[in-house]
Amino acid sequence: MVPLDLDLLREELRESFRQCGFQEEWMGDSLLGVLREKVRENREDGLEMTRQDVEESLLGALDATGFSDVAEAYRGRHPRLPGEFSRCLREWTAESLAAFLGRCPDVPSGMLPEILRQLPERLAGAGYPRVSEALILEYARHLVHGLRAQSGEPFPELTLCSRVRYIAADQWNLPLTDACLALQERRVIWLQPVSDILPVVVVQCRLARLLDFSEPPLDEASFQTRVSRLSPLLLECLVLMQGQVQRQWPEVAGAVRGVVRFVDFSALPPLLCASRRRKERRELSLRLEEALRTPFSASPLPVLVRFR
């Protein structure tokens, strides 16, 4: 038995978030605060955890809630962690899922057929064409927990990882407006999964997809006009997601934060700016970033805006 060094974990998590462009320290602190409570609850229930349990819980929560890049950064600080599970994203077949989960001690063999029946639908509903082994295992553990709860069986052997609660990407039950639904259908935005161990609601947005539905091609001025209408829709999604989290998990209601991640943002300037001069494209990027950030300044929900 060794003490859990929360100070070391906190600093490593903060550094991993910083490495991915998140300077706010509350994100890692929030994750550890919930983790510490779960450690205490598990101990009261007679569940002792190994160091691997704690680290897998952190990585699984990050992977499953849209912060896979932070999980990757954390793994990079601990070369021993990838030994059991591959960090690579890959496509899965029924045969490869059965082979992988059949080797995992956390998945009872008697439940494997039902898990293999439900898991592909869960993965498809989450919108992930390729996923890591860590995320596959987290989904399987979640299903194990649910199946045992339905059957009334005790589950004292479940680890901390198995007790993390999720709202998967296909479980957001939100009264979205038609404009938001259209953005989802066109894959301009994705509502990411969330867990109670890291109650951060995340919307990813690929702005370049807006250009695919524009005739004729947009110039900067026209695109700015369209962007000014986009941010309020993203905020609408975040506020509704926050409300669902607060209803399902009232104990973490005060900790819910929002993140908007504009992915592939660097691809925009070359599409909108005919000039080859790096300075002009950089100035365009700054103008677009400012236009996208401004609407969130008066948000009722604390929102971080990130560009990747």
Side-chain angles (χ1 to χ4, degrees):
M1 296 292 290
V2 296
L4 178 61
D5 192 340
L6 283 174
D7 289 336
L8 178 59
L9 270 178
R10 179 178 293 106
E11 185 52 41
E12 290 181 340
L13 267 178
R14 286 177 176 177
E15 185 56 37
S16 298
F17 274 104
R18 290 188 202 109
Q19 187 175 330
C20 297
F22 296 94
Q23 301 301 321
E24 294 77 6
E25 295 183 347
W26 64 263
M27 300 188 74
D29 292 349
S30 174
L31 175 57
L32 286 180
V34 178
L35 175 62
R36 182 164 49 190
E37 287 303 306
K38 288 187 174 291
V39 169
R40 181 185 60 77
E41 292 172 3
N42 275 262
R43 180 157 293 175
E44 290 176 354
D45 292 342
L47 298 177
E48 294 294 348
M49 294 171 298
T50 66
R51 175 172 182 157
Q52 183 176 344
D53 286 332
V54 174
E55 290 173 332
E56 283 185 10
S57 183
L58 289 171
L59 295 172
L62 290 167
D63 275 331
T65 53
F67 291 94
S68 297
D69 51 347
V70 179
E72 184 73 12
Y74 185 86
R75 287 187 183 96
R77 304 175 66 85
H78 299 276
R80 68 183 183 283
L81 290 179
E84 184 178 359
F85 302 114
S86 169
R87 293 173 292 172
C88 299
L89 299 179
R90 52 176 285 196
E91 296 179 353
W92 293 80
T93 64
E95 292 75 18
S96 62
L97 284 172
F100 171 64
L101 293 177
R103 300 192 303 268
C104 297
D106 284 1
V107 181
S109 58
M111 292 185 178
L112 191 56
E114 180 61 19
I115 290 172
L116 291 173
R117 186 187 71 81
Q118 294 189 31
L119 191 55
E121 183 179 344
R122 291 290 186 98
L123 294 174
Y128 295 137
R130 298 181 301 146
V131 296
S132 66
E133 290 181 354
L135 185 55
I136 289 290
L137 185 59
E138 282 302 307
Y139 267 105
R141 283 170 169 156
H142 182 59
L143 289 172
V144 168
H145 190 182
L147 291 170
R148 283 196 166 126
Q150 292 171 17
S151 67
E153 293 182 28
F155 41 90
E157 73 277 15
L158 288 182
T159 65
L160 172 67
C161 308
S162 309
R163 303 181 74 181
V164 175
R165 295 173 297 176
Y166 295 104
I167 299 174
D170 62 339
Q171 293 175 335
W172 291 113
N173 184 23
L174 307 176
L176 296 175
T177 61
D178 290 342
C180 285
L181 292 173
L183 290 175
Q184 275 193 301
E185 182 180 350
R186 294 176 173 184
R187 307 296 288 172
V188 176
I189 63 173
W190 298 266
L191 309 187
Q192 297 296 289
V194 67
S195 76
D196 63 339
I197 198 172
L198 185 57
V200 178
V201 292
V202 182
V203 175
Q204 289 197 164
C205 177
R206 181 166 284 121
L207 289 168
R209 290 282 291 165
L210 290 175
L211 301 177
D212 296 341
F213 303 97
S214 300
E215 293 290 344
L218 292 177
D219 56 16
E220 180 188 349
S222 301
F223 191 76
Q224 288 271 23
T225 301
R226 181 166 292 192
V227 160
S228 68
R229 298 194 295 263
L230 175 65
S231 292
L233 296 176
L234 297 175
L235 183 57
E236 171 192 329
C237 294
L238 289 173
V239 171
L240 291 173
M241 293 165 78
Q242 177 199 29
Q244 182 171 334
V245 170
Q246 290 174 332
R247 289 190 298 273
Q248 289 192 214
W249 308 323
E251 68 277 13
V252 301
V256 181
R257 300 290 188 275
V259 173
V260 176
R261 307 184 78 175
F262 293 101
V263 297
D264 297 338
F265 184 75
S266 60
L268 275 180
L271 295 174
L272 293 172
C273 182
S275 172
R276 297 181 179 225
R277 295 178 60 185
R278 181 176 299 178
K279 179 181 178 182
E280 291 183 7
R281 290 187 177 181
R282 177 59 181 162
E283 290 173 347
L284 172 58
S285 293
L286 293 175
R287 290 195 297 272
L288 290 175
E289 287 184 17
E290 181 63 23
L292 290 164
R293 288 183 192 277
T294 299
F296 296 101
S297 59
S299 166
L301 169 71
V303 177
L304 298 177
V305 181
R306 288 291 175 262
F307 301 90
R308 295 179 57 196

